[in-house]
Amino acid sequence: FRRVLFRSTGPAVPVKDLQPGDLLFYHFDPTAPGYISHVAIYLGDGKMEQAPEPGEDVEIVPVDLGSGFAGAIEVSPSVAAQVAATSV
């Protein structure tokens, strides 16, 4: 994902307003701070579901709001479908 796709697939959500199903985005490459390298699903109660690395099991862990946290969005299926159709 690139930041432009992340920002354009649904409305941004402040951390205090996260709801289950919101997507959490992370960037861990200091040479490309606009590149989204990880996505997790917010489950509620400060927990998220993620696959930590390709080939590893999906796990439920506490939400990480550290320096790699890029933001969150509420998924808007109609907006996401439009972006997907035009970004290929």
Side-chain angles (χ1 to χ4, degrees):
F1 285 94
R2 294 191 186 280
R3 182 170 294 235
V4 67
L5 291 179
F6 141 56
R7 295 281 185 215
S8 61
T9 54
V13 176
V15 171
K16 68 179 184 60
D17 295 332
L18 285 171
Q19 295 292 314
D22 290 343
L23 298 180
L24 308 172
F25 292 86
Y26 296 87
H27 52 89
F28 296 111
D29 183 349
T31 65
Y35 181 77
I36 300 301
S37 56
H38 187 70
V39 180
I41 302 169
Y42 184 67
L43 299 175
D45 296 323
K47 303 252 187 251
M48 66 183 194
E49 182 176 34
Q50 68 171 1
E53 297 287 333
E56 292 186 21
D57 292 335
V58 171
E59 60 187 9
I60 296 173
V61 297
V63 170
D64 178 2
L65 299 174
S67 64
F69 182 67
I73 64 160
E74 176 186 340
V75 176
S76 171
S78 62
V79 173
Q82 283 181 320
V83 170
T86 59
S87 65
V88 175

